[in-house]
Amino acid sequence: MEHPVSNDVKRAEAPAPPAQSPQVTWTRRWIIMSFWAIIVCFGLPHWLLTTSTYRATLPLDSMDWWAQGDQVCAVDEAGWLPQHSENEKAFRYASTYHLTFSLFTPAAMPADWSIEEALNQYVRPLTTALSNVSDFTIETQVQLHASFSPSIAGPQFDAATRDWILQKSDLRGFINAAEWPLSPSIGAGPTMNFVLYVPALEQTPLVIAETGRSTSWMILQWGGVAILNQVGEPSPKLTMADMEPVMLTFAEQLATLLGLPSDAGSFDNRVLHLKQTRAVSLIKSASSTLGALSRLTLKLKAIAIPDTVAAAVDKTLSSLEQACNALQLGKWDTALHHARTGNDAIETAFFEPSMVGQVYFPDEHKVAVYVPLLGPMAVPLIMTGLKEFRSWRQARKAKAD
Ligand SMILES: *[C@@H]1O[C@H](CO)[C@@H](O)[C@H](O)[C@H]1NC(C)=O
C-alpha cells in the first residue's frame, strides 16, 4: 500500500518529464554531438591556423655574433683606415639620393638654363664616381616670379658698396618653403636641393653680409643655395659660362653633403676614402640591425617571422661574410657592393610589415575580439552538452542499478 502513496508524493514534488522514446533522445544527442564535432574538427583547427603566428627559425647565434663584433671583420679601424673629422653637414647615408637642381628668380628672366650640359660637366663626374656607394636621381626645374618669404627682412641696399645685403639671419628663411615648389621626391631616399637664385636686376648684386661678398651657403640636411648676380641686361638663357661658378659651388656642396672628406687630397683619393668609410659603416650598420632583429624576436614571442625575413637574414649573413673577405683584400668596390646588399636586405626585413603588424595584436586584444563573438554561441553549446552528458550518465547508472 505504501508504494502508490509515495509515488503520488513524489509526483507532486517534482513532476517527471514525459517519458521520451529512446529514438528522440538519440536524435537529440546526435544533434548535439554533430555541433561539437563541427567545432572540434573544423572550427578549432581553422581558428588555430588563422590566429597562430608563423615563426621561421632564425640563426640567432650567427646574428648575435655579428652584432657583438666591435672590430668588424677583425679590421682594426683606428690602425689603418683613414680618419677624418666627422662632417656634420653630411646627410645620413642612403642607398639612393634624389638631387633637385632649381633655378629661382623673382623676375621673368632668365627662363632657361644650360643645366643638362652643366650637370654633365660638374655633377655627373661626382655621382658616377660614387655610383658604387649610392644611386642618384637628378631632377631640374625653373621657377619664375619667385618671391621672398614674408618671414625674412629681405635684402637691404648698402649705398657705400652699392650692394644689396642679405643678413645672415635671413639665410635660414631665404627658401620660401610655402611657395617654392621644393617638395621632396616621392620614393625611397632623401632629397638634396640645390637652388640657383638669380636676383631681380634692381636688387643686383645680392651678397651675404659679413662674408666678404659671398653668395652661397648650405642648409643643414637640406642642400645648398647659390646666388648668381648677372652683369648687365638679364639674358633669357643662362649659358655654361654664366653658370660655371655656381656649378662649381654646387659640386663642392654636393661632395660635402655626401660626406666626401675635404682633407684627403686628390679627388680619387677622397672618393676612395669615402668608399672605405662607407663599406665599414655599412657592415656595422647591417650587423647591428641583425642584433636588433634577434633581440626583437626573442622579446616579442607573439611576433610573426615570415620566411622572407629568414631569407633576408641568410642573405645578409652571406653578404657580410663576402664584404669582410673583400675588405681584407682591399677590394673596396666589391666590399661596398656586398655591404650594401646586406644592409638593404636586413633593413627591409626589419621593417617587414607582416612582422610589425603582429606587434599590435597582443593576446589581450584577441580575447577582447573573440569573447563577444564566440561567447553567445559557446554558452548554450556547453550548457546543453553538459546537461545531456549528465542525463546520459544518470540513465546509465539507473540501468546498472
Ligand atoms: C664599381 O664596382 C665595380 C666592381 O664591383 C668596379 O668594377 C667599378 O669600376 C666600380 N665603379 C666605379 C665608378 O668605381
Side-chain angles (χ1 to χ4, degrees), residues 128-129 131-132 275 333-334 337:
T128 307
S131 60
N132 282 348
K275 283 180 178 176
D333 284 298
T334 315
H337 169 75

Side-chain angles (χ1 to χ4, degrees), residues 223-241:
V225 185
I227 296 168
L228 176 57
N229 289 308
Q230 286 195 282
V231 187
E233 280 301 297
S235 56
K237 177 168 180 170
L238 294 179
T239 63
M240 279 281 275

Side-chain angles (χ1 to χ4, degrees), residues 15 21 83 134 143 145 180 216 231 248 262 275 290 297 304 317 343 373 394:
S21 72
Q83 294 293 297
S134 294
Q143 210 64 39
H145 310 295
W180 296 6
S216 67
V231 187
L248 286 171
S262 52
K275 283 180 178 176
L290 276 175
T297 57
L317 290 173
N343 193 53
L373 206 67
Q394 261 169 15

Side-chain angles (χ1 to χ4, degrees), residues 46-59:
H46 188 254
W47 178 68
L48 286 176
L49 201 74
T50 49
T51 58
S52 67
T53 45
Y54 174 72
R55 284 169 74 89
T57 355
L58 295 181

Side-chain angles (χ1 to χ4, degrees), residues 100-348:
T100 303
F101 290 85
S102 313
L103 165 61
F104 283 94
T105 178
M109 277 206 278
D112 198 4
W113 53 339
S114 314
I115 187 67
E116 274 309 314
E117 289 167 65
L119 287 175
N120 284 339
Q121 180 155 349
Y122 299 102
V123 172
R124 294 224 162 83
L126 181 57
T127 56
T128 307
L130 294 180
S131 60
N132 282 348
V133 179
S134 294
D135 296 324
F136 297 92
T137 67
I138 300 185
E139 285 169 54
T140 68
Q141 63 170 335
V142 176
Q143 210 64 39
L144 309 176
H145 310 295
S147 56
F148 284 131
S149 158
S151 68
I152 68 168
Q156 307 294 319
F157 187 64
D158 181 348
T161 57
R162 306 201 64 75
D163 285 337
W164 285 85
I165 308 289
L166 204 53
Q167 293 307 314
K168 277 196 161 164
S169 55
D170 281 349
L171 298 186
R172 188 181 288 275
F174 184 86
I175 299 300
N176 189 349
E179 288 174 34
W180 296 6
L182 286 164
S183 48
S185 300
I186 299 161
T191 301
M192 291 182 186
N193 296 279
F194 298 93
V195 169
L196 191 173
Y197 185 81
V198 181
L201 198 60
E202 57 274 17
Q203 284 193 340
T204 302
L206 181 62
V207 297
I208 306 168
E210 306 156 38
T211 55
R213 304 190 85 237
S214 162
T215 53
S216 67
W217 67 98
M218 289 174 70
I219 301 174
L220 217 61
Q221 296 299 311
W222 189 84
V225 185
I227 296 168
L228 176 57
N229 289 308
Q230 286 195 282
V231 187
E233 280 301 297
S235 56
K237 177 168 180 170
L238 294 179
T239 63
M240 279 281 275
D242 294 332
M243 288 163 67
E244 188 188 351
V246 171
M247 291 312 291
L248 286 171
T249 303
F250 284 161
E252 200 43 53
Q253 287 176 340
L254 176 60
T256 307
L257 293 172
L258 290 174
L260 217 59
S262 52
D263 52 353
S266 74
F267 178 70
D268 286 349
N269 224 22
R270 293 170 73 193
V271 169
L272 176 67
H273 286 197
L274 183 66
K275 283 180 178 176
Q276 294 171 335
T277 317
R278 282 290 179 255
V280 172
S281 72
L282 279 171
I283 292 172
K284 278 193 165 179
S285 152
S287 302
S288 82
T289 311
L290 276 175
L293 185 63
S294 153
R295 285 194 299 279
L296 182 78
T297 57
L298 283 180
K299 195 165 163 225
L300 298 172
K301 298 285 182 203
I303 201 172
I305 308 175
D307 281 329
T308 50
V309 169
V313 168
D314 287 342
K315 187 175 175 186
T316 306
L317 290 173
S318 81
S319 296
L320 283 178
E321 200 134 322
Q322 284 171 292
C324 276
N325 288 342
L327 206 68
Q328 275 151 1
L329 296 173
K331 293 182 177 170
W332 298 104
D333 284 298
T334 315
L336 251 180
H337 169 75
H338 291 301
R340 270 180 83 182
T341 310
N343 193 53
D344 285 353
I346 199 63
E347 290 272 317
T348 313

